[in-house]
Amino acid sequence: MSILFKGIDHIQIAAPIGSEEEARSFFTDILGLKEIQKPENLKGRGGCWFQIGPQEIHVGVQKDFMPTTKAHPGILVSNLPSLRQTLIEKGIKVKEDSPIKGRDRFFVSDPFGNRLEFLEYD
């Protein structure tokens, strides 16, 4: 039996219970992502989902939430300098890190302290 891995469908980021509106504000108002509806049978769990290219970001709420400060998604963008400037103008702290040959990148924290990396290839 051969298996072909095709890509990543979604990533899930954890957040505190009751933080859906704050997640919506960050992911839609600041980042400009479109919220998508969760399947009916999962709505009772809380959280919210967002479209990001052909993939999705799922923000799931959990009782004993702790932010991920090392593990993170790496989110590909075009026009990274414009995103950097937009985030700074909206009061989001941009954290530079060691360069990686062939790509520009920076990190931010979501409203819950989770680490997010944004990058663009040369």
Side-chain angles (χ1 to χ4, degrees), residues 33-119:
L33 302 181
K34 178 184 173 199
E35 183 174 4
I36 56 176
Q37 292 299 310
K38 290 180 69 171
E40 201 60 44
N41 61 319
L42 300 181
K43 286 183 179 180
R45 297 180 182 179
C48 41
W49 293 6
F50 303 92
Q51 192 72 49
I52 184 162
Q55 293 84 28
E56 300 171 3
I57 292 179
H58 297 177
V59 178
V61 296
Q62 70 183 65
K63 182 179 176 184
D64 297 321
F65 168 74
M66 298 224 8
T68 57
T69 57
K70 180 67 175 171
H72 62 275
I75 301 169
L76 288 173
V77 303
S78 61
N79 200 354
L80 188 68
S82 179
L83 175 61
R84 180 185 280 117
Q85 186 60 38
T86 297
L87 292 171
I88 290 169
E89 288 171 2
K90 293 187 178 194
I92 304 298
K93 182 179 178 185
V94 171
K95 301 169 204 150
E96 304 296 337
D97 203 328
S98 302
I100 298 176
K101 185 178 180 180
R103 60 189 106 165
D104 188 15
R105 69 188 184 133
F106 63 82
F107 293 87
V108 302
S109 294
D110 72 9
F112 319 111
N114 295 309
R115 186 179 196 200
L116 305 174
E117 179 180 13
F118 295 97
L119 61 147

